[in-house]
Amino acid sequence: MTAPPTALTIAGSDSGGSAGMHADLRTFFACGVHGMTAVTAVTVQNTTGVSGVVEVPAETVAAQIDAVASDIGVGAAKTGMLASAATIDAMLEACDRHGIGRGGTTPFVVDPVAAARSGEPLLHPDALDALRHRAFPRATLVTPNLDEVRLLTGIDARTRDDLLDAAKAIYDFGPEWVLIKSGHLPDDPECVDLLFDGTEALALPGPRYATEHTHGAGDVFASAITAALAKGASMPDAVRGGKRFVTRSVADAYPLGSGVGPVSTFWRISPRSY
């Protein structure tokens, strides 16, 4: 037996199992990648919302990265909930030690998770500035949704025509690539995401499904891209593959609890049997 490619998620937990590091690990597994974690926070949540957050000390986050990178190695890494500027800075220092991110050899996907699906903030105010000016310049790819674009840039994108302006504004912070996710344009009959490298923009259309069960969709999209990068895919191919993966996961989303259910990665590993 030989070891599969490896990927690291630096993210928070979801006690309901729908989003965060749980969604990332499910996606890594379904994509044939060995998943590892650096846990940044423990959330108390279910399908109706987040009722509590306990942050992991920044030095412990960094130590988790050091532990897995120095022993197992990291083929690609992604972030999720980072909570505070202290966590972001400690994470970046650890990533620098192991060549993760721009200037290194390991692709680094920054998914700037700023709020829970139900609206609860997941970042301290100082963390937004740390994301903009310290994390984004180190990122191979940044993957904000439109709510996160508004928080980070002030741009309120409401149509497809606004997506390029949003991508340019995020790109100005210094990442190598930007992916703007347009799932929050409910009046558009399609979900058209936009990949931008500072010069060229690639539109990625996909169907929009009539389901409320979309919890974890952004995490699944970013982690599917990360898995493809860990396998050596180019950025455009990784994003195309991630788009196909999350589209099918939304199509197979299922109800859970009394609130919003998760998108499903089960389609990739077996026929639907639940």
Side-chain angles (χ1 to χ4, degrees):
M1 295 292 290
T2 59
T6 61
L8 170 66
T9 174
I10 307 164
S13 73
D14 170 5
S15 52
S18 294
M21 57 176 275
H22 302 289
D24 294 337
L25 290 174
R26 279 199 302 276
T27 303
F28 290 162
F29 174 79
C31 293
V33 170
H34 175 82
M36 305 170 294
T37 61
V39 184
T40 61
V42 176
T43 70
V44 180
Q45 67 175 294
N46 55 26
T47 64
T48 65
V50 177
S51 58
V53 176
V54 177
E55 295 177 34
V56 172
E59 61 271 20
T60 304
V61 175
Q64 293 173 86
I65 297 169
D66 287 332
V68 298
S70 62
D71 174 43
I72 300 168
V74 178
K78 73 169 291 289
T79 70
M81 175 187 174
L82 296 175
S84 69
T87 294
I88 291 170
D89 288 339
M91 172 199 72
L92 291 173
E93 290 173 7
C95 286
D96 284 348
R97 287 194 289 272
H98 301 285
I100 299 170
R102 296 188 71 178
T105 58
T106 301
F108 185 39
V109 176
V110 175
D111 189 16
V113 177
R117 169 195 43 78
S118 48
E120 298 90 346
L122 297 176
L123 283 178
H124 295 307
D126 64 347
L128 283 174
D129 193 60
L131 278 174
R132 293 183 192 102
H133 300 297
R134 297 197 286 282
F136 286 4
R138 317 279 262 287
T140 313
L141 173 70
V142 176
T143 62
N145 62 35
L146 297 183
D147 291 337
E148 291 155 354
V149 166
R150 185 171 60 253
L151 281 172
L152 291 160
T153 71
I155 294 175
D156 187 11
R158 295 181 177 272
T159 70
R160 289 189 198 183
D161 293 338
D162 298 327
L163 298 182
L164 184 56
D165 288 339
K168 289 178 177 178
I170 296 292
Y171 184 82
D172 284 345
F173 291 122
E176 187 174 353
W177 297 79
V178 175
L179 175 66
I180 302 296
K181 299 175 292 190
S182 73
H184 294 185
L185 286 180
D187 296 331
D188 194 316
E190 290 186 298
C191 282
V192 181
D193 305 312
L194 194 74
L195 179 65
F196 183 62
D197 67 355
T199 303
E200 297 183 1
L202 173 66
L204 300 157
R208 183 179 295 276
Y209 295 104
T211 179
E212 65 174 338
H213 302 304
T214 57
H215 197 191
D219 304 309
V220 167
F221 196 175
S223 52
I225 294 169
T226 304
L229 293 172
K231 293 178 172 181
S234 68
M235 185 61 72
D237 285 347
V239 173
R240 289 187 187 100
K243 175 74 172 183
R244 290 191 296 268
F245 190 96
V246 73
T247 297
R248 180 63 185 272
S249 298
V250 173
D252 278 19
Y254 52 87
L256 196 70
S258 58
V260 176
V263 301
S264 175
T265 60
F266 292 130
W267 67 269
R268 187 64 178 265
I269 57 175
S270 68
R272 189 165 183 168
S273 59
Y274 47 88

